[in-house]
């Protein structure tokens, strides 16, 4: 049996999304590897990490957004069964940073991965009623088949990359055992 | 009349030649994707049940839900306008656009705005309107209507699109690849989105409790159309409302799978507008975040346009459950051949389009293409909300018949074909609908009737008056009917049989293909069943196919009355013709009282299903014909070709809908036959359809896919068997091998 994290990772692969696992201590290196410059981003709502010490320009202007090759934003939920991530709109413009640049890097905490769509909708329902009520369930890059064959990167990103953030302990335990900490 | 038919045939031929290949390739791709994708979904059936239950509840509570949406959207800071009709909706959107001084409006794909022709209305008022979905953009450039509700430009190949763009735009270098075409469209439309003041979208769903719109897309254009312009207008039919946010979940899992065969599309946007994303000004050097979202404006236009009347209409109500996924179109064999430009009314296309067009544009719009539904029922199990689409088509066909001008054909019809239909009914429909009368007459006067029918002057007359294509071979009536054969034969009945069964003498088995009836009787008797073949009324399938619902209902009542004593005495009903079994099990629910329907439906079986049940319950298969006995026949010089043990089997559409195909395969395999099956949707004949002059070419085009499959190396030498009468007739004209009913292989008295 694959763990939930492994299922998620393998489904991300199926929907053409690269994956990196990171811990708070390896996060900045992971960002450096994942981005293409110039990169813009919006602040991550996670205590453990921030984009402050990376090459990502946070709080971008519209010109910076337009010129960016890469956007970095957070995801609120990961859906293991589909390899989907839930991207919430934020007042600093996460919707734009994840949509305009050619490459989108999504940062997601491992504890925010849920097994399936039913679980995702339970969480989303609560969030929507709490007022965080604009979200996109994104699965892989933007795509179209309207021009006669499948092409990626239409109005949205051509490439997607997920960084899954584990705690240092989780990461160590994952090396030894499988499964038990994956469902939170 | 015949010139109308000829014009229709011409148009179909034109579409077959110009758009058919591209539509077919794409629709079959979606279709195959759907089969794979739903296979991977655990509890697919349970999801469909939930989806249907949500829609039933939503439509039931619709007036309340509309008010709830108004409250929640207004609480979020948006406005709701319920528009009575197209003009009302267009006027409202025009005013929003005018109030925003919007020179440029960008749109994300929306069939509802196609329905009301919003683009034309806005352009007439001086705005520039751009479709940002690439498929819609192609159509806008080509000035064409969508051919498909999900993939609107499905009928155009890449080469076509490249030619179009190279002609229409002033390009430095010609575009060629899909990548180049996409990049060009993205750049071009990106500029339009940036300069737009108003973004217009549809909505796949609107949730009443949170005022959230779900937009199911893959390109990202809906997100940009919502986020970039300050003002967002969403136009949605009132039927798009569902009660709660959580109700979205089954639809999110079903809609992509049902439509294009993707597990999920790239983006499922859940917006409770006005959205919180800051407004963006591309000329400003301030951080985007500083702008805030206070300037955002949102208008939800909920469109009635006939929908509330559909809600009151017991037959059309189900149409409102439709989530516009296109599974019915993709699974439709005729659609695969000609696409939405033949299979569509003013806006909607595909199987469910008849219901939509009848509801929102009126019967005339539905009438244009209603006949292209052959009632094969292949779409029924594909619909994620379980809408009985063929039934809606039948009902609308009936209404169209009833609105036809009276008296046109009185002189031809009176006395010959008494039925319950209006006098103005199209003569062709009346002819096929009254096949029972013809069959009786045909058997009574056979072989003269067969000889007469085949004479060139007769064929010409039939073509002129009835539109029966001369190229079609007509059924040859047997002088001795199946019922008479059974009555006349001298076979003693088993004394203490455990099973008693009536073999239903459907019209074809009784008058034309009596052999398969006889084979069925001998097979059941060999397995110890006490068999009866009483004279039972025709099922009503023939009139129903022509939309003659009242006549079909009469037949249904007669059948139920004729079979009642047998059912009461413990008999099962065994049916050879799958389309008649489907009548008993599906359509009779609409035509009979619940009790009579249930007792018949519960106790009727397809012949192989019944044989399978007998074998499972311990009956000895030894007396039955097997692959080995076939080989014996061959050595005995009865003409059986080598390889007779190898079977190529085509199951009937309705038999597959009822999920009965496996029984035939299982029984044949038990008897040592090696079976390969066809997996194309349909043979293309579907009852009377292929006989009709205007549809002959389409019928043969659909059939060609089956021919290819059965002429492929792994099937080319196999004995061809098919369950349905029409399938047999179609296969007969498609192949050089003569097809037969599988029961003839199992028949203990088998003669090859």
């Amino acid at each position: 049996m694959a763990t939930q994290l492994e299922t998620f990772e393998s489904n991300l692969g199926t929907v053409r999304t690269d994956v990196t696992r990171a811990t708070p201590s390896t996060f900045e290196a992971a960002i450096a590897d994942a981005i293409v410059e110039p990169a813009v981003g919006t602040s991550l709502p996670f205590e453990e990490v921030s984009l402050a010490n990376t090459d990502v320009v946070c709080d971008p202007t519209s010109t910076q957004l337009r010129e960016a090759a890469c956007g970095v934003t957070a995801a609120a939920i990961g859906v293991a069964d589909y390899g989907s991530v839930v991207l919430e709109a934020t007042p600093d413009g996460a919707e734009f940073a994840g949509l305009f640049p050619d490459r989108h890097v999504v940062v997601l905490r491992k504890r925010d991965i849920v097994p399936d769509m039913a679980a995702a909708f339970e969480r989303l329902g609560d969030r929507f009623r709490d007022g965080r009520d604009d979200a996109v369930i994104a699965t892989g890059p933007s795509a179209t088949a309207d021009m006669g064959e499948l092409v990626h990167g239409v109005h949205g990103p051509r490439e997607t990359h997920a960084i899954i953030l584990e705690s240092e302990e989780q990461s160590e335990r994952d090396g030894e055992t499988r499964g038990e900490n994956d469902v939170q | 009349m015949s010139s109308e038919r000829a014009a229709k045939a011409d148009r179909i031929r034109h579409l077959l030649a110009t758009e058919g290949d591209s539509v077919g390739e794409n629709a079959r791709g979606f279709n195959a994707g759907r089969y794979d994708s739903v296979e991977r979904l655990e509890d697919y059936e349970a999801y469909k049940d939930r989806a249907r239950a949500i829609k039933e509840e939503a439509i039931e509570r619709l007036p309340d839900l509309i008010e709830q949406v108004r409250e929640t959207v207004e609480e979020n800071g948006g406005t709701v306008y319920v528009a009575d009709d197209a003009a009302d909706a267009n006027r409202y959107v025009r005013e929003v656009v005018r109030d925003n001084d919007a020179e440029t409006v960008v749109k994300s794909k929306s069939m509802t705005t196609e329905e009301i022709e919003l683009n034309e209305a806005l352009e007439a008022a001086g705005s520039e309107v751009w479709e940002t979905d690439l498929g819609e953009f192609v159509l806008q450039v080509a000035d064409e209507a969508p051919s498909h509700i999900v993939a609107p430009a499905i009928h155009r190949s890449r080469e076509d699109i490249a030619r179009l763009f190279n002609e229409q735009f002033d390009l430095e270098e010609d575009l060629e690849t899909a990548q180049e075409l996409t990049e060009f469209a993205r750049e071009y439309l990106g500029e339009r989105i940036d300069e737009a003041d108003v973004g217009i979208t549809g909505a796949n769903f609107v949730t009443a409790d949170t005022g959230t719109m779900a937009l199911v897309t893959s390109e990202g254009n809906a997100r940009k159309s919502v986020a970039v312009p300050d003002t967002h207008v969403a136009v949605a039919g009132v039927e798009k409302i569902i009660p709660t946010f959580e109700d979205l979940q089954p639809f999110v899992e079903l809609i992509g799978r049902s439509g294009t065969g993707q597990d999920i599309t790239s983006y499922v946007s859940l917006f409770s507008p006005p959205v919180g994303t800051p407004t963006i000004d591309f000329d400003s050097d301030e951080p985007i975040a500083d702008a805030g979202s206070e300037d955002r404006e949102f208008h939800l236009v909920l469109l009635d346009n006939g929908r509330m009347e559909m809600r009151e209409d017991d037959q059309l109500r189900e149409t409102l459950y439709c989530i516009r996924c296109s599974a019915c179109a993709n699974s439709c064999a005729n659609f695969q051949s000609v696409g939405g430009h033949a299979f569509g009314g003013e806006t909607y296309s595909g199987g469910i389009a008849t219901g939509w067009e009848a509801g929102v544009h009126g019967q005339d719009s539905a009438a244009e293409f209603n006949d292209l539904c052959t009632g094969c029922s292949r779409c029924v199990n594909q619909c994620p909300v379980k809408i009985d689409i063929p039934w809606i088509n039948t009902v609308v066909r009936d209404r169209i018949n009833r609105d036809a001008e009276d008296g046109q054909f009185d002189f031809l019809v009176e006395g010959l074909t008494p039925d319950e239909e209006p006098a103005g009914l199209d003569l062709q429909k009346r002819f096929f609908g009254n096949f029972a009368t013809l069959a009786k007459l045909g058997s009574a006067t056979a072989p003269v009737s067969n000889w007469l029918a085949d004479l060139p002057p007769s064929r010409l007359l039939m073509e002129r008056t009835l539109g029966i294509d001369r190229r079609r071979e007509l059924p040859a009536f047997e002088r001795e009917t199946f019922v008479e054969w059974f009555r006349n034969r001298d076979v003693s009945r088993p004394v203490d049989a455990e099973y008693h069964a009536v073999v239903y003498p459907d019209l074809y088995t009784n008058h034309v293909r009596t052999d398969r009836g006889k084979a069925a009787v001998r097979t059941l008797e060999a397995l110890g069943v006490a068999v009866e073949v009483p004279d039972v009324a025709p099922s009503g399938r023939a009139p129903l196919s022509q939309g003659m619902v009242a006549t079909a209902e009469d037949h249904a009542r007669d059948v139920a009355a004729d079979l009642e004593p047998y059912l009461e005495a413990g008999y099962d009903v065994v049916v050879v013709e799958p389309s008649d079994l489907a009548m008993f099990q599906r359509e009779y629910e609409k035509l009979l009282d619940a009790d009579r329907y249930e007792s018949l439906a519960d106790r009727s079986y397809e012949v192989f299903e019944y044989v399978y049940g007998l074998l499972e319950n311990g009956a000895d298969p030894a007396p039955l014909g097997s692959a080995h006995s076939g080989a014996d026949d061959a050595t005995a010089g009865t003409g059986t070709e080598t390889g007779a043990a190898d079977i190529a089997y085509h199951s009937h559409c309705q038999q597959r809908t009822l999920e009965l195909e496996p029984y035939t395969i299982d029984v044949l395999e038990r008897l040592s036959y090696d079976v390969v099956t066809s997996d194309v949707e349909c043979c293309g004949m579907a009852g009377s359809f292929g006989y009709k002059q205007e549809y002959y070419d389409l019928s043969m085009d659909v059939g060609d896919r089956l021919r290819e499959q059965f002429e492929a190396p792994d099937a080319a030498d196999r004995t061809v068997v098919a369950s349905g009468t029409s399938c047999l007739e179609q296969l007969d004209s498609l192949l050089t091998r003569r097809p037969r009913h599988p029961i003839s292989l199992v028949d203990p008295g088998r003669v090859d």
Side-chain angles (χ1 to χ4, degrees):
Chain A
M1 268 294 278
T3 64
Q4 183 171 288
L5 177 61
E6 285 165 348
T7 303
F8 183 50
E9 286 177 329
S10 109
N11 285 327
L12 282 167
T14 308
V15 299
R16 300 171 63 100
T17 303
D18 295 331
V19 190
T20 315
R21 288 196 201 182
T23 64
S25 61
T26 61
F27 175 70
E28 283 166 13
I31 287 285
D33 281 347
I35 62 169
V36 176
E37 288 188 76
V40 295
T42 49
S43 58
L44 303 175
F46 311 134
E47 282 170 14
E48 312 91 297
V49 294
S50 113
L51 294 173
N53 297 316
T54 67
D55 290 325
V56 179
V57 176
C58 285
D59 213 7
T61 65
S62 60
T63 314
Q64 284 168 323
L65 173 73
R66 245 202 236 275
E67 284 165 4
C70 177
V72 184
T73 71
I77 302 171
V79 189
D81 271 2
Y82 284 85
S84 305
V85 290
V86 174
L87 311 172
E88 289 181 329
T90 62
D92 57 350
E95 174 76 354
F96 294 128
L99 190 58
F100 274 79
D102 220 24
R103 182 176 176 81
H104 183 207
V105 176
V106 179
V107 183
L108 171 83
R109 291 183 304 189
K110 184 184 161 195
R111 47 185 271 229
D112 292 325
I113 300 171
V114 297
D116 51 29
M117 219 36 105
F121 268 86
E122 243 172 68
R123 280 206 188 186
L124 277 168
D126 294 341
R127 295 174 85 93
F128 268 66
R129 272 177 269 272
D130 281 352
R132 279 169 296 185
D133 58 1
D134 297 312
V136 174
I137 304 172
T139 312
S142 132
T144 187
D146 283 337
M147 294 299 173
E149 59 193 74
L150 189 65
V151 177
H152 289 96
V154 193
H155 296 282
R158 190 164 48 84
E159 296 169 350
T160 45
H161 186 120
I163 295 178
I164 302 173
L165 202 57
E166 305 174 278
S167 67
E168 312 290 345
E169 303 80 47
Q170 274 176 336
S171 169
E172 273 169 39
R173 269 203 306 270
D174 277 356
E176 296 156 16
T177 60
R178 305 175 77 179
E180 52 199 335
N181 292 300
D182 287 307
V183 185
Q184 34 100 54
Chain B
M1 203 61 212
S2 66
S3 71
E4 209 174 282
R5 251 181 214 126
K8 201 174 219 177
D10 276 349
R11 174 151 167 75
I12 288 174
R13 265 195 296 275
H14 175 71
L15 289 169
L16 282 170
T18 53
E19 301 185 355
D21 286 350
S22 189
V23 169
E25 201 178 306
N26 285 308
R28 281 192 289 279
F30 292 160
N31 216 26
R34 183 182 63 257
Y35 286 134
D36 285 350
S37 179
V38 299
E39 183 81 14
R40 285 194 296 272
L41 184 65
E42 249 176 80
D43 298 331
Y44 174 49
E45 289 302 318
Y47 271 116
K48 290 204 287 188
D49 287 336
R50 258 184 74 201
R52 180 168 178 101
I54 292 167
K55 276 296 195 180
E56 280 181 6
E57 186 198 337
I59 298 304
E60 173 72 33
R61 291 174 48 202
L62 193 51
D64 289 345
L65 294 182
I66 292 173
E67 282 321 301
Q68 204 187 340
V69 164
R70 189 191 295 281
E71 279 166 33
T72 49
V73 170
E74 283 172 4
E75 241 169 67
N76 293 341
T79 339
V80 174
Y81 183 74
V82 180
D84 292 338
D85 54 22
D88 191 17
N90 287 337
R91 181 192 53 75
Y92 183 85
V93 181
R94 240 181 2 242
E95 278 167 19
V96 173
V97 168
R98 193 192 57 207
D99 292 348
N100 280 278
D101 297 320
E103 284 171 25
T104 307
V105 174
V106 285
K107 285 183 67 213
S108 170
K109 178 181 174 301
S110 147
M111 287 306 288
T112 311
T113 60
E114 298 274 348
E115 176 188 323
I116 60 175
E117 297 183 349
L118 177 63
N119 291 15
E120 289 77 353
L122 293 179
E123 279 160 2
S127 296
E128 208 173 89
V129 184
W130 289 100
E131 293 289 348
T132 59
D133 172 88
L134 263 46
E136 282 287 343
F137 177 58
V138 168
L139 297 185
Q140 186 176 21
V141 174
D143 197 19
E144 268 187 342
S147 168
H148 187 273
I149 58 176
V150 169
I154 192 177
H155 59 291
R156 282 187 166 260
S157 65
R158 178 179 55 81
E159 293 79 6
D160 259 353
I161 299 170
R163 212 173 301 129
L164 176 74
F165 280 16
N166 293 333
E167 274 168 22
Q168 296 289 323
F169 296 101
D170 187 19
L171 303 165
E172 280 174 24
E173 229 172 285
D174 274 0
L175 302 166
E176 192 186 331
T177 65
Q179 187 78 39
E180 288 167 359
L181 290 163
T182 302
E183 274 166 25
F184 166 76
R186 175 179 57 195
E187 286 291 312
Y188 189 89
L189 292 169
E191 287 169 25
R192 307 284 91 77
I193 293 171
D194 290 355
E195 70 194 22
D197 305 296
V198 172
I200 298 178
T201 69
N204 293 84
F205 304 94
V206 179
T207 65
D209 64 340
T210 59
T212 305
M213 297 174 352
L215 296 168
V216 180
T217 68
S218 274
E219 294 181 0
N221 60 311
R223 296 174 62 189
K224 279 191 175 165
S225 302
V226 170
V228 177
D230 293 356
T231 298
H232 172 200
V233 179
V235 181
V238 286
E239 85 285 1
K240 299 287 182 71
I241 304 174
I242 54 175
T244 73
F245 183 85
E246 281 78 3
D247 289 337
L248 285 168
Q249 183 236 328
F251 295 109
V252 165
E253 305 212 44
L254 287 171
I255 194 166
R257 295 175 197 270
S258 304
T260 51
Q262 296 164 280
D263 291 354
I264 191 167
T265 60
S266 301
Y267 303 118
V268 177
S269 302
L270 306 167
F271 296 134
S272 310
V275 292
T277 295
T279 53
I280 192 162
D281 176 358
F282 285 103
D283 299 326
S284 160
D285 268 343
E286 302 291 312
I288 296 166
D290 291 357
S293 59
E294 289 77 31
D295 291 340
R296 289 205 174 271
E297 197 180 309
F298 172 64
H299 301 264
L300 173 62
V301 179
L302 290 172
L303 180 70
D304 178 347
N305 205 30
R307 286 164 175 78
M308 293 313 256
E309 260 182 67
M310 290 165 81
R311 184 174 167 269
E312 301 294 323
D313 183 323
D314 284 343
Q315 309 295 349
L316 288 186
R317 184 181 306 121
E318 283 206 23
T319 308
L320 297 172
Y321 304 164
C322 168
I323 59 168
R324 319 264 179 99
C325 70
S326 80
C328 56
N330 298 335
S331 60
C332 172
N334 282 351
F335 187 94
Q336 288 179 13
S337 278
V338 289
H341 288 155
F343 219 115
E346 286 178 44
T347 306
Y348 298 102
S349 67
I352 194 65
T354 289
W356 278 120
E357 289 296 333
V360 306
H361 289 133
Q363 238 155 253
D364 287 348
S365 177
E368 285 170 28
F369 59 97
N370 179 270
D371 280 351
L372 283 179
C373 170
T374 63
C376 82
S377 81
R378 288 295 295 154
C379 55
V380 168
N381 293 350
Q382 320 305 329
C383 174
V385 278
K386 298 189 154 189
I387 300 174
D388 192 344
I389 295 162
W391 179 256
I392 293 174
N393 280 302
T394 302
V395 168
V396 173
R397 197 169 291 171
D398 186 50
R399 291 178 184 179
I400 293 167
N401 291 345
R402 280 170 197 286
D403 279 4
E405 229 171 278
D406 269 13
Q408 220 177 341
F409 295 109
D410 276 0
F411 66 99
L412 274 166
V413 168
E414 219 170 325
L416 175 69
T417 55
D419 55 36
E420 302 301 311
E421 309 304 324
L425 176 65
D426 177 293
L427 189 57
Q428 185 192 55
K429 285 186 170 151
R430 175 150 282 164
F431 173 81
F432 283 112
N434 284 289
F435 184 73
T437 315
L438 185 76
K440 251 179 229 159
L441 203 67
S443 279
T445 57
V448 176
S449 56
N450 295 326
W451 170 75
L452 204 60
D454 261 350
L455 288 178
S458 311
R459 294 310 305 256
L460 201 61
L461 187 70
M462 278 194 268
E463 190 167 275
R464 276 207 199 125
T465 54
L466 303 168
I468 296 173
D469 200 283
R470 259 178 289 173
R471 289 164 288 187
R472 246 334 147 189
E473 203 177 317
L474 294 176
F477 298 107
E478 295 284 346
R479 179 83 197 201
E480 185 188 50
T481 66
F482 173 44
V483 171
E484 285 162 2
W485 167 82
F486 187 83
R487 206 183 284 147
N488 294 341
R489 79 194 185 129
D490 185 21
V491 174
S492 56
R493 292 169 50 79
V495 189
D496 49 1
E498 206 175 328
Y499 299 99
H500 292 70
V502 164
V503 173
Y504 174 66
D506 66 86
L507 274 179
Y508 256 76
T509 306
N510 198 28
H511 295 275
V512 183
R513 294 188 181 265
T514 54
D515 281 353
R516 65 179 189 176
K518 297 172 192 171
V521 169
R522 286 191 292 258
T523 300
L524 297 184
E525 285 181 343
L527 296 172
V529 181
V531 179
E532 282 294 340
V533 184
D535 198 0
V536 186
S539 71
R541 169 60 70 193
L544 197 79
S545 299
Q546 311 306 320
M548 296 159 64
V549 177
T551 306
E553 199 175 320
D554 262 12
H555 285 307
R557 276 199 289 263
D558 289 346
V559 168
D562 289 344
L563 288 175
E564 196 171 20
Y566 292 95
L567 291 172
E568 278 175 3
Y571 278 74
D572 297 313
V573 178
V574 174
V575 185
V576 183
E577 173 55 41
S579 59
D580 280 8
L581 180 72
M583 262 321 259
F584 296 174
Q585 301 208 328
R586 287 179 22 81
E587 283 86 0
Y588 274 17
E589 189 176 4
K590 311 270 195 331
L591 302 174
L592 293 176
D593 299 340
D595 286 353
R596 303 190 92 179
Y597 159 69
E598 275 165 28
S599 60
L600 179 54
D602 287 353
R603 296 271 294 286
S604 55
Y605 302 87
E606 196 269 337
V607 61
F608 272 91
E609 181 191 17
Y610 201 67
V611 169
Y612 170 87
L614 294 168
L615 296 179
E616 280 291 285
N617 283 305
D620 177 13
L624 300 185
S626 74
H628 305 307
S629 46
D632 288 349
D633 284 349
T635 51
T638 52
T640 307
E641 61 277 51
T642 44
D646 296 334
I647 304 297
Y649 175 51
H650 175 71
S651 178
H652 184 278
C653 305
Q654 276 150 347
Q655 189 181 16
R656 287 160 75 197
T657 299
L658 295 171
E659 295 175 349
L660 298 174
E661 182 184 13
Y663 297 114
T664 305
I665 298 168
D666 182 278
V667 170
L668 290 177
E669 284 178 349
R670 277 179 204 234
L671 298 172
S672 306
Y673 290 100
D674 182 72
V675 185
V676 299
T677 54
S678 68
D679 60 12
V680 293
E681 286 305 327
C682 179
C683 72
M685 183 64 158
S688 58
F689 185 80
Y691 282 106
K692 295 180 180 174
Q693 197 187 359
E694 61 272 41
Y695 304 126
Y696 176 81
D697 294 295
L698 174 52
S699 161
M700 293 309 277
D701 188 77
V702 172
D704 209 44
R705 299 196 276 275
L706 180 56
R707 181 191 59 73
E708 267 176 35
Q709 205 154 29
F710 278 180
E711 282 182 355
D714 67 329
D717 297 325
R718 289 171 177 262
T719 302
V720 174
V721 292
S723 309
T725 301
S726 26
C727 321
L728 285 165
E729 287 178 358
Q730 177 77 322
L731 278 162
D732 206 7
S733 55
L734 294 169
L735 301 172
T736 49
R737 284 165 288 171
R738 196 163 174 78
R740 49 205 289 191
H741 192 282
I743 199 68
S744 70
L745 299 173
V746 174
D747 180 7
R750 167 179 167 179
V751 185
D752 285 292

